[in-house]
Amino acid sequence: MSRSTPPNEQAEDVDFVQLLFTDVAGRLKTLEVPSARWAEVRDDGWTLDGAVLLGYGDPEHSDLRLMPDPSTFVHRPWSTPSGRTVGMVFCDVLDSAGRPFAADPRAVLRRAVEASEARGQRPVFGVEAEFYLLRDTDTGTGAAGHPADGAGYWDLSVDEQADEVCRDIAEALELMGLTVDGHHHEVCSGQRELVFRHGDALATADRLLLLKHTARVMARRRNMSAVFMPKPLAHLYGNALHVHVSLDGTGTDTGTGPLFHDAADPHGMSELFRHSLAGVLDHAPALTALGNPTVNSYKRLVPASGTPVHASWARHNRSTAFKVAGDTAAPRSLRLEMRSPDPAAHPHLLFAGVLAALADGQDRALKLPEACEEAADALAAGDLAARGIAELPTDLPSALRALEQDAVVHGALGELAAGAVVRNSRSDWAAWHRIVTPWEIGRYAQTV
């Protein structure tokens, strides 16, 4: 995000400032203040009820404080309907003693990054976010909408209304200091992907939240909806969030170059990369709870749907949960690509879990199994067992149990944040089971 404007001048040319933070579910929250109050709020913060962040009331954590991070201040490049201008700034959350609040997702990720840096490793993250551009459908149908275009994978569409939304998004993000590398049409009608420049973990996580918000605003301005839910349309592919991660040396014992590359290895992979990837494979069930955190997530993760349902890795196979991406001739490009997460993931918590899994693989010198260059869901159970390929959780409760039982990933989040994630997700699961769907009525009402 832009850091060129001095903190005392950031709000001089805006009318209001939105103080941004997220709850543990990844929903972007805000308090908006007049720009005349910015200097005071920047220095002193603002009181926050912990229930807003945790998702439930807890007297022990009822009095928290939002503290703006001025380095993240951006000028929103679009005006309100009445012509007012707005600035946006991410906030850290402090507890009643003035310490980073244990369950603040930015604090969770910052702790994980500091642990990596203590090992001489600087994490680099990138994301590719898929979403649908939908037009409103008939009211009362319960459908999310219908695709805004009929184009396909990387097609050049002749209907440019949806393209204009993507251009609006890209232009707005650029004006907020994000470098947009490109956007293209995805496999299904109305489905798009936008890629912005990779960076450090905290900045990338913050920027993904800005991307989602900006996309929704720009789509609405052209009478469409930008929908990031994992599986919005039953008959079309779901939305993925491909997460890319690599490690650079910080100049200590590890050196300063890219740590995942080894020119002598057939795959270009260093021994540290192999141990790191083995760690992510070992902790894949718990990471699924963070990368696929909703009831709807598991409508996307089904066999023969083009989405990964096994904890396997490959160099070229795009159906695996984990893929080694990049060009061996370009050492800095070599990276781990996670293909199972979806855009409902809370990026701060997911990134923290990934870093803990990488470190655990290194500490235990875990052995990386052979790559799986064929579709794992087409292999027989015996073949999967012989190759040590396990299934990923198939529903939300299974993933949450894996998170609770995984001391490494659970520990990276901390008891308070992990407990809130599990509690809120189980509440969603219970709410889902109180709903009787049209499918159930059609299948059972006259037949059982």
Side-chain angles (χ1 to χ4, degrees), residues 87-129:
M88 308 170 80
V89 62
F90 279 95
C91 296
D92 296 314
V93 182
L94 307 181
D95 64 17
S96 57
R99 301 165 302 197
F101 180 50
D104 173 20
R106 295 184 94 237
V108 170
L109 180 54
R110 192 177 280 116
R111 290 197 303 267
V113 170
E114 290 171 352
S116 292
E117 291 176 341
R119 307 167 70 88
Q121 302 170 3
R122 186 181 74 85
V124 179
F125 278 86
V127 291
E128 299 171 327

Short mmCIF file of all heavy atoms in Angstrom, two decimals, residues 87-129:
data_model
loop_
_atom_site.label_atom_id
_atom_site.label_comp_id
_atom_site.label_asym_id
_atom_site.label_seq_id
_atom_site.Cartn_x
_atom_site.Cartn_y
_atom_site.Cartn_z
N GLY A 87 -10.80 8.10 3.00
CA GLY A 87 -9.54 7.39 3.18
C GLY A 87 -9.79 6.08 3.91
O GLY A 87 -10.80 5.93 4.61
N MET A 88 -8.88 5.13 3.76
CA MET A 88 -9.00 3.82 4.40
C MET A 88 -7.67 3.48 5.05
O MET A 88 -6.61 3.71 4.46
CB MET A 88 -9.39 2.74 3.39
CG MET A 88 -10.61 3.08 2.54
SD MET A 88 -10.87 1.92 1.15
CE MET A 88 -11.64 0.56 2.01
N VAL A 89 -7.72 2.91 6.26
CA VAL A 89 -6.50 2.54 6.96
C VAL A 89 -6.76 1.27 7.78
O VAL A 89 -7.79 1.15 8.43
CB VAL A 89 -6.01 3.69 7.87
CG1 VAL A 89 -7.02 4.03 8.95
CG2 VAL A 89 -4.65 3.37 8.46
N PHE A 90 -5.85 0.31 7.68
CA PHE A 90 -5.98 -0.89 8.51
C PHE A 90 -5.52 -0.58 9.93
O PHE A 90 -4.63 0.24 10.16
CB PHE A 90 -5.16 -2.03 7.93
CG PHE A 90 -5.85 -2.75 6.81
CD1 PHE A 90 -5.60 -2.39 5.48
CD2 PHE A 90 -6.76 -3.75 7.06
CE1 PHE A 90 -6.24 -3.04 4.45
CE2 PHE A 90 -7.41 -4.41 6.03
CZ PHE A 90 -7.15 -4.06 4.72
N CYS A 91 -6.15 -1.27 10.87
CA CYS A 91 -5.87 -1.06 12.28
C CYS A 91 -5.36 -2.34 12.93
O CYS A 91 -5.75 -3.45 12.55
CB CYS A 91 -7.12 -0.60 13.02
SG CYS A 91 -7.75 1.00 12.49
N ASP A 92 -4.51 -2.16 13.93
CA ASP A 92 -4.18 -3.24 14.85
C ASP A 92 -5.13 -3.15 16.03
O ASP A 92 -5.70 -2.09 16.31
CB ASP A 92 -2.74 -3.11 15.32
CG ASP A 92 -1.75 -3.27 14.17
OD1 ASP A 92 -1.93 -4.23 13.38
OD2 ASP A 92 -0.83 -2.45 14.05
N VAL A 93 -5.32 -4.27 16.71
CA VAL A 93 -6.22 -4.31 17.87
C VAL A 93 -5.38 -4.60 19.10
O VAL A 93 -4.60 -5.56 19.13
CB VAL A 93 -7.31 -5.38 17.69
CG1 VAL A 93 -8.26 -5.37 18.89
CG2 VAL A 93 -8.09 -5.15 16.39
N LEU A 94 -5.54 -3.75 20.12
CA LEU A 94 -4.81 -3.90 21.38
C LEU A 94 -5.76 -4.33 22.48
O LEU A 94 -6.96 -4.02 22.46
CB LEU A 94 -4.14 -2.57 21.76
CG LEU A 94 -3.25 -1.91 20.70
CD1 LEU A 94 -2.65 -0.63 21.26
CD2 LEU A 94 -2.17 -2.86 20.22
N ASP A 95 -5.22 -5.04 23.48
CA ASP A 95 -6.03 -5.43 24.62
C ASP A 95 -6.06 -4.31 25.65
O ASP A 95 -5.49 -3.23 25.43
CB ASP A 95 -5.55 -6.75 25.22
CG ASP A 95 -4.15 -6.67 25.80
OD1 ASP A 95 -3.65 -5.55 26.06
OD2 ASP A 95 -3.53 -7.74 26.01
N SER A 96 -6.71 -4.55 26.78
CA SER A 96 -6.89 -3.49 27.77
C SER A 96 -5.58 -3.03 28.39
O SER A 96 -5.50 -1.94 28.97
CB SER A 96 -7.84 -3.97 28.88
OG SER A 96 -7.35 -5.16 29.49
N ALA A 97 -4.53 -3.86 28.27
CA ALA A 97 -3.21 -3.48 28.79
C ALA A 97 -2.34 -2.82 27.73
O ALA A 97 -1.17 -2.52 27.98
CB ALA A 97 -2.51 -4.72 29.34
N GLY A 98 -2.88 -2.61 26.52
CA GLY A 98 -2.14 -1.96 25.46
C GLY A 98 -1.24 -2.88 24.66
O GLY A 98 -0.44 -2.43 23.86
N ARG A 99 -1.39 -4.20 24.86
CA ARG A 99 -0.61 -5.18 24.11
C ARG A 99 -1.39 -5.64 22.88
O ARG A 99 -2.61 -5.54 22.85
CB ARG A 99 -0.30 -6.38 25.00
CG ARG A 99 0.48 -6.05 26.26
CD ARG A 99 0.44 -7.20 27.24
NE ARG A 99 -0.93 -7.54 27.60
CZ ARG A 99 -1.27 -8.27 28.67
NH1 ARG A 99 -0.33 -8.75 29.46
NH2 ARG A 99 -2.54 -8.54 28.92
N PRO A 100 -0.71 -6.17 21.86
CA PRO A 100 -1.44 -6.73 20.71
C PRO A 100 -2.44 -7.78 21.20
O PRO A 100 -2.08 -8.68 21.97
CB PRO A 100 -0.33 -7.36 19.86
CG PRO A 100 0.89 -6.57 20.20
CD PRO A 100 0.76 -6.23 21.67
N PHE A 101 -3.69 -7.64 20.78
CA PHE A 101 -4.74 -8.58 21.19
C PHE A 101 -4.46 -9.94 20.58
O PHE A 101 -4.22 -10.06 19.37
CB PHE A 101 -6.10 -8.05 20.76
CG PHE A 101 -7.25 -8.94 21.14
CD1 PHE A 101 -7.39 -9.41 22.43
CD2 PHE A 101 -8.21 -9.30 20.20
CE1 PHE A 101 -8.45 -10.22 22.80
CE2 PHE A 101 -9.28 -10.10 20.54
CZ PHE A 101 -9.40 -10.57 21.84
N ALA A 102 -4.48 -10.98 21.40
CA ALA A 102 -4.05 -12.32 20.97
C ALA A 102 -4.82 -12.83 19.77
O ALA A 102 -4.27 -13.57 18.94
CB ALA A 102 -4.17 -13.30 22.14
N ALA A 103 -6.10 -12.46 19.65
CA ALA A 103 -6.93 -13.00 18.57
C ALA A 103 -7.08 -12.04 17.40
O ALA A 103 -7.84 -12.33 16.47
CB ALA A 103 -8.32 -13.37 19.09
N ASP A 104 -6.37 -10.91 17.41
CA ASP A 104 -6.39 -10.02 16.26
C ASP A 104 -5.70 -10.72 15.10
O ASP A 104 -4.52 -11.07 15.19
CB ASP A 104 -5.66 -8.72 16.61
CG ASP A 104 -5.49 -7.80 15.40
OD1 ASP A 104 -6.23 -7.96 14.42
OD2 ASP A 104 -4.59 -6.93 15.45
N PRO A 105 -6.38 -10.96 13.98
CA PRO A 105 -5.76 -11.71 12.88
C PRO A 105 -4.46 -11.10 12.37
O PRO A 105 -3.54 -11.83 11.99
CB PRO A 105 -6.85 -11.71 11.81
CG PRO A 105 -8.13 -11.65 12.60
CD PRO A 105 -7.82 -10.72 13.73
N ARG A 106 -4.36 -9.77 12.36
CA ARG A 106 -3.10 -9.15 11.93
C ARG A 106 -1.98 -9.46 12.93
O ARG A 106 -0.83 -9.68 12.55
CB ARG A 106 -3.24 -7.64 11.77
CG ARG A 106 -4.19 -7.23 10.64
CD ARG A 106 -4.24 -5.71 10.46
NE ARG A 106 -3.29 -5.27 9.43
CZ ARG A 106 -2.34 -4.40 9.63
NH1 ARG A 106 -2.13 -3.89 10.84
NH2 ARG A 106 -1.55 -4.02 8.64
N ALA A 107 -2.32 -9.49 14.22
CA ALA A 107 -1.32 -9.83 15.23
C ALA A 107 -0.90 -11.29 15.11
O ALA A 107 0.28 -11.62 15.29
CB ALA A 107 -1.87 -9.54 16.63
N VAL A 108 -1.86 -12.17 14.81
CA VAL A 108 -1.54 -13.59 14.63
C VAL A 108 -0.53 -13.76 13.50
O VAL A 108 0.47 -14.48 13.63
CB VAL A 108 -2.83 -14.40 14.35
CG1 VAL A 108 -2.49 -15.83 13.91
CG2 VAL A 108 -3.72 -14.43 15.58
N LEU A 109 -0.79 -13.11 12.36
CA LEU A 109 0.13 -13.24 11.23
C LEU A 109 1.47 -12.57 11.53
O LEU A 109 2.53 -13.09 11.16
CB LEU A 109 -0.51 -12.64 9.98
CG LEU A 109 0.34 -12.69 8.71
CD1 LEU A 109 0.82 -14.11 8.41
CD2 LEU A 109 -0.43 -12.12 7.51
N ARG A 110 1.44 -11.44 12.21
CA ARG A 110 2.70 -10.77 12.52
C ARG A 110 3.58 -11.67 13.40
O ARG A 110 4.80 -11.74 13.19
CB ARG A 110 2.41 -9.44 13.21
CG ARG A 110 3.63 -8.55 13.33
CD ARG A 110 3.29 -7.20 13.94
NE ARG A 110 2.70 -6.30 12.95
CZ ARG A 110 1.47 -5.84 13.01
NH1 ARG A 110 0.67 -6.20 13.99
NH2 ARG A 110 1.01 -5.02 12.09
N ARG A 111 2.97 -12.39 14.35
CA ARG A 111 3.74 -13.32 15.18
C ARG A 111 4.37 -14.41 14.33
O ARG A 111 5.53 -14.80 14.53
CB ARG A 111 2.86 -13.95 16.25
CG ARG A 111 2.38 -13.03 17.35
CD ARG A 111 1.88 -13.81 18.55
NE ARG A 111 0.80 -14.74 18.23
CZ ARG A 111 -0.49 -14.46 18.31
NH1 ARG A 111 -0.88 -13.24 18.70
NH2 ARG A 111 -1.40 -15.37 18.04
N ALA A 112 3.61 -14.94 13.37
CA ALA A 112 4.12 -16.00 12.52
C ALA A 112 5.27 -15.51 11.65
O ALA A 112 6.26 -16.23 11.44
CB ALA A 112 2.99 -16.56 11.65
N VAL A 113 5.15 -14.29 11.13
CA VAL A 113 6.22 -13.73 10.31
C VAL A 113 7.47 -13.51 11.15
O VAL A 113 8.59 -13.81 10.72
CB VAL A 113 5.76 -12.41 9.66
CG1 VAL A 113 6.93 -11.69 9.00
CG2 VAL A 113 4.67 -12.68 8.63
N GLU A 114 7.30 -13.01 12.35
CA GLU A 114 8.45 -12.80 13.24
C GLU A 114 9.15 -14.12 13.55
O GLU A 114 10.38 -14.18 13.64
CB GLU A 114 8.00 -12.10 14.51
CG GLU A 114 7.60 -10.64 14.29
CD GLU A 114 6.94 -10.02 15.51
OE1 GLU A 114 6.66 -10.77 16.48
OE2 GLU A 114 6.69 -8.80 15.49
N ALA A 115 8.37 -15.19 13.72
CA ALA A 115 8.97 -16.50 13.97
C ALA A 115 9.77 -16.96 12.76
O ALA A 115 10.85 -17.55 12.91
CB ALA A 115 7.88 -17.52 14.31
N SER A 116 9.28 -16.70 11.55
CA SER A 116 10.03 -17.05 10.34
C SER A 116 11.30 -16.24 10.23
O SER A 116 12.38 -16.76 9.89
CB SER A 116 9.16 -16.83 9.10
OG SER A 116 8.08 -17.74 9.05
N GLU A 117 11.19 -14.96 10.51
CA GLU A 117 12.36 -14.09 10.40
C GLU A 117 13.42 -14.47 11.43
O GLU A 117 14.62 -14.34 11.18
CB GLU A 117 11.93 -12.64 10.56
CG GLU A 117 11.12 -12.14 9.37
CD GLU A 117 10.61 -10.73 9.55
OE1 GLU A 117 10.57 -10.25 10.71
OE2 GLU A 117 10.23 -10.09 8.53
N ALA A 118 13.00 -14.98 12.59
CA ALA A 118 13.95 -15.44 13.59
C ALA A 118 14.74 -16.65 13.10
O ALA A 118 15.82 -16.94 13.61
CB ALA A 118 13.22 -15.78 14.89
N ARG A 119 14.19 -17.35 12.10
CA ARG A 119 14.87 -18.48 11.50
C ARG A 119 15.75 -18.05 10.31
O ARG A 119 16.30 -18.89 9.61
CB ARG A 119 13.85 -19.51 11.01
CG ARG A 119 12.84 -19.95 12.06
CD ARG A 119 11.67 -20.71 11.42
NE ARG A 119 12.09 -22.00 10.94
CZ ARG A 119 12.11 -23.13 11.65
NH1 ARG A 119 11.71 -23.10 12.93
NH2 ARG A 119 12.50 -24.26 11.14
N GLY A 120 15.79 -16.74 10.04
CA GLY A 120 16.53 -16.25 8.89
C GLY A 120 15.76 -16.35 7.60
O GLY A 120 16.36 -16.37 6.51
N GLN A 121 14.42 -16.39 7.68
CA GLN A 121 13.58 -16.58 6.51
C GLN A 121 12.55 -15.46 6.40
O GLN A 121 11.85 -15.16 7.37
CB GLN A 121 12.85 -17.94 6.60
CG GLN A 121 13.79 -19.12 6.73
CD GLN A 121 13.08 -20.42 7.06
OE1 GLN A 121 11.85 -20.47 7.15
NE2 GLN A 121 13.84 -21.49 7.26
N ARG A 122 12.46 -14.86 5.22
CA ARG A 122 11.45 -13.83 4.97
C ARG A 122 10.38 -14.39 4.05
O ARG A 122 10.65 -14.70 2.88
CB ARG A 122 12.07 -12.58 4.33
CG ARG A 122 11.08 -11.42 4.17
CD ARG A 122 11.74 -10.22 3.52
NE ARG A 122 11.95 -10.41 2.10
CZ ARG A 122 11.02 -10.17 1.15
NH1 ARG A 122 9.82 -9.74 1.51
NH2 ARG A 122 11.31 -10.35 -0.10
N PRO A 123 9.14 -14.56 4.55
CA PRO A 123 8.07 -15.11 3.71
C PRO A 123 7.62 -14.13 2.64
O PRO A 123 7.51 -12.92 2.87
CB PRO A 123 6.93 -15.39 4.71
CG PRO A 123 7.55 -15.28 6.06
CD PRO A 123 8.70 -14.33 5.93
N VAL A 124 7.35 -14.66 1.45
CA VAL A 124 6.78 -13.89 0.34
C VAL A 124 5.50 -14.59 -0.09
O VAL A 124 5.52 -15.80 -0.37
CB VAL A 124 7.76 -13.80 -0.84
CG1 VAL A 124 7.13 -13.03 -1.99
CG2 VAL A 124 9.07 -13.14 -0.41
N PHE A 125 4.39 -13.86 -0.13
CA PHE A 125 3.10 -14.43 -0.49
C PHE A 125 2.51 -13.74 -1.72
O PHE A 125 2.68 -12.54 -1.92
CB PHE A 125 2.10 -14.30 0.67
CG PHE A 125 2.22 -15.35 1.73
CD1 PHE A 125 3.11 -15.20 2.77
CD2 PHE A 125 1.44 -16.51 1.69
CE1 PHE A 125 3.24 -16.15 3.76
CE2 PHE A 125 1.56 -17.47 2.66
CZ PHE A 125 2.46 -17.30 3.72
N GLY A 126 1.80 -14.52 -2.50
CA GLY A 126 1.00 -14.00 -3.61
C GLY A 126 -0.32 -14.75 -3.64
O GLY A 126 -0.42 -15.88 -3.14
N VAL A 127 -1.34 -14.14 -4.21
CA VAL A 127 -2.64 -14.79 -4.31
C VAL A 127 -3.25 -14.56 -5.68
O VAL A 127 -2.99 -13.54 -6.34
CB VAL A 127 -3.63 -14.28 -3.23
CG1 VAL A 127 -3.22 -14.74 -1.85
CG2 VAL A 127 -3.76 -12.76 -3.27
N GLU A 128 -4.04 -15.54 -6.11
CA GLU A 128 -4.87 -15.42 -7.32
C GLU A 128 -6.31 -15.66 -6.88
O GLU A 128 -6.64 -16.76 -6.43
CB GLU A 128 -4.47 -16.45 -8.36
CG GLU A 128 -3.04 -16.31 -8.85
CD GLU A 128 -2.61 -17.48 -9.73
OE1 GLU A 128 -3.08 -18.62 -9.48
OE2 GLU A 128 -1.81 -17.26 -10.64
N ALA A 129 -7.12 -14.63 -6.95
CA ALA A 129 -8.48 -14.71 -6.44
C ALA A 129 -9.49 -14.84 -7.58
O ALA A 129 -9.54 -13.98 -8.46
CB ALA A 129 -8.80 -13.48 -5.60
#
